[in-house]
Amino acid sequence: VGVGLHKGWAIEGAIGSKVKIDPSYLSPHVNITSRLEAATKRYRVPLLMSDAFFGGLSGSVQSKCRRCDKVSFKGCSDPMVIYHHDTFSLKK
């Protein structure tokens, strides 16, 4: 199971009936997060993050990340840089 991390706005709403209600999130940013999660299989890493998420990290955490690629996801007009943080690394 991979993890995709991205930062952006989203609208949360309840969809359903009187019997069953499910939460739903609407935003292009939610879709980007889903595409990042799917891309973890292609890159064979447990975690991928967008440049928007990477930019919000502290310098010490950014120094432990590496740039993987510049990609264009379906539904996005501009390519984005994606990063990887090896959460299972034994390096210090």
Side-chain angles (χ1 to χ4, degrees):
V1 174
V3 175
L5 300 172
H6 182 64
K7 182 173 85 170
W9 63 268
I11 298 171
E12 178 185 15
I15 297 176
S17 66
K18 293 180 181 179
V19 179
K20 182 178 178 186
I21 297 177
D22 290 321
S24 181
Y25 302 91
L26 305 172
S27 169
H29 302 289
V30 173
N31 295 338
I32 291 170
T33 302
S34 177
R35 299 199 195 299
L36 284 165
E37 184 273 328
T40 60
K41 295 170 188 72
R42 185 174 355 133
Y43 289 93
R44 297 181 180 169
V45 295
L47 182 145
L48 285 174
M49 65 188 88
S50 68
D51 50 356
F53 189 87
F54 176 81
L57 298 174
S58 68
S60 63
V61 175
Q62 283 184 355
S63 68
K64 294 175 177 69
C65 297
R66 64 180 164 90
R67 180 182 165 152
C68 288
D69 205 352
K70 189 171 189 177
V71 297
S72 294
F73 289 121
K74 181 180 176 183
C76 297
S77 57
D78 299 324
M80 77 170 58
V81 176
I82 57 174
Y83 295 87
H84 166 63
H85 181 271
D86 192 2
T87 54
F88 303 107
S89 174
L90 297 176
K91 297 178 187 176
K92 290 189 177 190

